[in-house]
Amino acid sequence: MGVEEQRAGEFYVERDVMNELCLDKLARRRTHSTRPLLKERVKDSLRCSVPKLKRSVLSFIPILSWLPCYSVRQDALGDLISGISVGIMHLPMGLAYALLASVPPVFGLYTSFYPVLMYCIFGTSRHISIGTFAVTSIMIGTTTERLAPNSNFMSLNGTNGTQILDVVARDALRVQIAASTTFLSGIFLFLLGMIRFGFVVTFLSDPLVRGYMTGAGIQVVLSQLPSLFGIRVGRFSGPLSQVYVIVNLFQHLHLPETNIAAVVVTLVALAVLIAVKELNIYYEKKMPVPVPIELITVIATLISYYCKLHSLYKVAVIGQIPKGLKPPSSPDVSLWGSIVGDAFAVGIVGYAVNISLGKIFGQKHGYTVDSNQEMVAVGLCNIVGGFFQCHVVAASPPRTLLQDSTGGKTQVVGMISSVLVLIFILQLGTLFEELPKAVLACIVLVNLRGLFMQFKDIPELWKSNKFDLLVWLVTLVCTILLNLDLGLAASIGFSMLTVIFRTQLPRYSILGHVPGTELYLDTDTYEEAKEIPGITIFRSSTTMYYTNAQLYLDALQEKSGIDIGMLLMKKKKRDTEEKRKDEKEKNKAKKQAKKPIMLLKCVFYQSRVKIETLSLCQSKVNWGFEQQGNGFDQDSKTDIHGNDHITQMSSTGREGEMGRSSVNDTHTIILDLSTANFADTATVKTLKNIFLNYRKIDIDIYLTGCQVCVVEQLSSAGFFSESIPKSCLFTTIHDAVLHSLRLHGASDDLTCTTKM
């Protein structure tokens, strides 16, 4: 179908040229704000009513709104299957990620129980699976090992002189550190959520989050390599710690220290896990529930109890898993001073992962996830978890995908999975005390597949946006080299710098008119866009503010072809020369006026004639003086007229040489400010200078496309005055062009007709 066939019709617009004053009158601009005063808003927020109280309670405790409407017929079966599947995945992940956090495995199971129940009550997402997560676990592990390293718990054996590690004391302190960090992190998130600070996650762009998670995934891999090879190496913290980990690993990677039995267990577990995982992906649409290979692998490796892998081959195992739940205990407040930075960083990362996954699945299933309530919910999960010795929680992508694919529709899935984890904690935990750590390390690595698939972002970002690619790569490198806390801060700082840098490199355009329309487009992009003789239309692709105001001026001079500095210097020089000539002519006129008086004095003092002769001479001199005076008046008038003529010619010359100084004899410059969303002090000052300087060389300046907020800010800053009236601000570019053409007597061949 051709373009002509697609046209639904035509319409014609005919109206007067509209500047800001005409627009205010036509559209009846309000003289008062419709927004309530601050006093009224405060009063309204403090008022209490039953409907308002009900809304507040339901928004703070979302389960009260969706649980009474729960449909057993439609949702119960899917939630049951999904809850069992997710609960099965919670078990090996809880055990494995507890090792990442450098705490005993049973505390990973606690983390898969208490916070999950809290999120079911306060969370707004129906599909994410909260609990242990690799990135937050490794961040907690970095903190615990920094504050409680093994070297602090070494003691000398008096019998044989060897050093003994006090594992019980070390683990007790690490659990306290993890719980205190979790509790403090929860307080941060809860308070930020209560003051509606959920938008803080917008500072974490998608490339930054994905690069950060990929870098954290690499750190997780490096932390698990010793368990895969059965090597005992120290863990390092701080900047460049991962470099030390790699160097230390290669120093111990030789046969006397590498445990061959652990390597065999690793290879077998990896082969089974990877193969079944790939089959699950391949037959995803044909199988109602994926094969829970993690749990099957864990159960299968219980054969190690009979093979005595730990006693005979020194394969590291989980160790004691006590039955039952522990009573709550208050976190150690004395540790807060040393963990405050870590707590804030891990809390923000966990929340960012939560809200990202929540919004993805919310859009997929057609419901809204409240960012502020999510911050409150995650904060409460961590606060309660801190009392029960848990570590920081976040939504896990593998479990969330499993919950969605198995038919889970509400957070009843979390309740069912929590019941399954509780049964395991109360009765079945002791069965897994002989589980090799190498198997848990394999489970961790296999479930990081999704993180490492994010390396595909590199070619995609290279094609789409190189600035985002730079943020992704810098975040990855900073996360690996500077560790997770400093890496996050450095990545956010670099991301902010790229935003500032982009505003320093906007696209400046000269707009041209498209014949037969009122459209004005970039002449470099559109061939049909032609510049209007005498009029330069200038646009920036971004807001002008204090960091790029000078760049705006430079680009305006370059694009318009008018070097305002040079022209003003020439004008000043010309004015100085004219002033010097005027002074010279005045001095010459004064000298000519003094000549008759000097002649009279000369005759009086030098003549030695009789009194009659002297009188006669004096009368002749007076007659000559009168004639000379008449001649001076005539010359003076001629001179003044000649000076006026020079001034007029000079003015005409300035108009020809300066006012129309560019190649196309520019008499008007139109600044399109439609891309501006605010006007700071630098913007106001820059625009004032543009008006004053260009008017000195007889070029008119008009502003177009200003948003209401920009106009208000310009008015508040005192921009408009007698020299810069509000009538120089036009609604559209076309209005300003028509006004300029009529003002300068140009033929108005531009039509206001728009065809569609």
Side-chain angles (χ1 to χ4, degrees), residues 249-513:
L249 180 66
F250 278 104
Q251 289 177 349
H252 292 82
L253 198 61
H254 48 79
L255 280 179
E257 295 191 27
T258 302
N259 192 311
I260 301 300
V263 173
V264 172
V265 171
T266 297
L267 293 176
V268 173
L270 281 178
V272 173
L273 287 168
I274 293 175
V276 179
K277 282 282 187 180
E278 292 299 323
L279 290 175
N280 282 340
I281 296 174
Y282 187 78
Y283 293 104
E284 179 181 4
K285 296 181 179 179
K286 297 182 179 180
M287 293 189 300
V289 178
V291 178
I293 187 58
E294 290 90 354
L295 184 62
I296 294 174
T297 304
V298 168
I299 295 174
T301 51
L302 291 179
I303 193 175
S304 62
Y305 177 79
Y306 301 100
C307 295
K308 299 182 180 180
L309 294 178
H310 175 61
S311 59
L312 295 179
Y313 302 102
K314 305 300 180 183
V315 176
V317 295
I318 288 180
Q320 184 180 7
I321 300 179
K323 284 186 178 182
L325 299 173
K326 288 192 173 183
S329 61
S330 59
D332 190 353
V333 181
S334 62
L335 296 171
W336 285 8
S338 56
I339 61 174
V340 58
D342 304 274
F344 185 79
V346 69
I348 292 297
V349 170
Y351 169 69
V353 176
N354 237 54
I355 194 65
S356 299
L357 283 175
K359 287 188 174 181
I360 289 173
F361 285 92
Q363 292 174 359
K364 179 180 178 181
H365 295 280
Y367 63 90
T368 303
V369 176
D370 187 347
S371 58
N372 292 304
Q373 180 60 27
E374 281 295 297
M375 186 170 274
V376 170
V378 178
L380 289 173
C381 290
N382 288 331
I383 289 174
V384 174
F387 279 107
F388 290 95
Q389 294 84 46
C390 303
H391 49 268
V392 175
V393 295
S396 171
R399 290 197 307 269
T400 302
L401 290 172
L402 177 62
Q403 180 169 331
D404 180 56
S405 62
T406 52
K409 296 181 180 179
T410 67
Q411 278 300 330
V412 171
V413 174
M415 299 179 185
I416 296 173
S417 65
S418 298
V419 172
L420 197 62
V421 172
L422 178 62
I423 294 173
F424 186 87
I425 293 173
L426 296 177
Q427 297 296 331
L428 305 177
T430 55
L431 298 178
F432 296 90
E433 292 179 352
E434 294 295 324
L435 178 66
K437 290 184 178 181
V439 174
L440 295 180
C442 293
I443 293 173
V444 170
L445 296 184
V446 171
N447 282 286
L448 291 176
R449 178 182 181 274
L451 293 182
F452 293 120
M453 291 297 290
Q454 293 178 156
F455 276 106
K456 292 182 179 180
D457 293 348
I458 295 178
E460 294 176 1
L461 291 175
W462 175 262
K463 295 177 182 178
S464 61
N465 194 312
K466 292 181 175 58
F467 274 103
D468 286 344
L469 173 62
L470 189 61
V471 171
W472 197 100
L473 293 175
V474 170
T475 302
L476 177 71
V477 174
C478 289
T479 304
I480 296 173
L481 296 182
L482 301 180
N483 220 336
L484 296 172
D485 47 0
L486 293 178
L488 178 63
S491 303
I492 294 175
F494 180 79
S495 180
M496 295 296 102
L497 286 178
T498 59
V499 175
I500 297 174
F501 184 72
R502 284 191 234 192
T503 62
Q504 300 298 302
L505 296 174
R507 180 173 180 175
Y508 298 106
S509 308
I510 294 295
L511 305 184
H513 178 247

Side-chain angles (χ1 to χ4, degrees), residues 738-755:
L738 293 178
H739 175 78
S740 175
L741 292 177
R742 292 170 185 172
L743 187 65
H744 291 83
S747 59
D748 187 4
D749 58 349
L750 301 178
T751 65
C752 287
T753 303
T754 303
K755 297 183 178 181

Side-chain angles (χ1 to χ4, degrees), residues 132-271:
T132 55
F133 182 51
V135 176
T136 54
S137 297
I138 193 67
M139 294 179 75
I140 292 294
T142 302
T143 304
T144 56
E145 295 203 358
R146 174 173 58 85
L147 298 179
N150 288 338
S151 57
N152 291 356
F153 300 93
M154 301 297 293
S155 59
L156 191 63
N157 189 346
T159 305
N160 52 16
T162 59
Q163 288 187 331
I164 301 175
L165 175 63
D166 190 351
V167 177
V168 176
R170 181 202 65 181
D171 288 347
L173 180 57
R174 287 182 176 180
V175 169
Q176 276 294 323
I177 294 171
S180 299
T181 306
T182 301
F183 183 80
L184 186 57
S185 172
I187 290 178
F188 282 140
L189 292 179
F190 179 77
L191 294 178
L192 291 175
M194 292 301 293
I195 62 175
R196 320 304 289 174
F197 211 69
F199 68 89
V200 70
V201 75
T202 58
F203 291 99
L204 303 177
S205 63
D206 188 60
L208 187 148
V209 172
R210 294 174 71 85
Y212 183 81
M213 292 178 67
T214 305
I218 293 176
Q219 286 208 18
V220 172
V221 172
L222 294 177
S223 68
Q224 295 304 297
L225 288 179
S227 297
L228 297 178
F229 294 100
I231 301 173
R232 293 186 178 181
V233 296
R235 287 180 66 175
F236 304 89
S237 61
L240 302 180
S241 60
Q242 302 308 310
V243 177
Y244 298 129
V245 169
I246 295 174
V247 173
N248 200 6
L249 180 66
F250 278 104
Q251 289 177 349
H252 292 82
L253 198 61
H254 48 79
L255 280 179
E257 295 191 27
T258 302
N259 192 311
I260 301 300
V263 173
V264 172
V265 171
T266 297
L267 293 176
V268 173
L270 281 178

Side-chain angles (χ1 to χ4, degrees), residues 92-112:
M93 281 189 171
L95 296 171
Y97 292 155
L99 298 181
L100 292 180
S102 298
V103 295
V106 69
F107 293 95
L109 298 178
Y110 298 157
T111 307
S112 300

Side-chain angles (χ1 to χ4, degrees), residues 37-75:
L37 298 175
L38 178 61
K39 182 180 179 181
E40 295 297 328
R41 296 201 301 270
V42 172
K43 284 184 178 179
D44 184 65
S45 64
L46 296 177
R47 289 192 186 101
C48 185
S49 62
V50 174
K52 187 175 181 180
L53 179 62
K54 182 179 179 181
R55 287 195 304 270
S56 300
V57 172
L58 292 180
S59 63
F60 185 73
I61 310 176
I63 193 174
L64 297 179
S65 60
W66 62 263
L67 188 59
C69 304
Y70 184 78
S71 176
V72 177
R73 179 179 299 178
Q74 295 179 359
D75 301 335

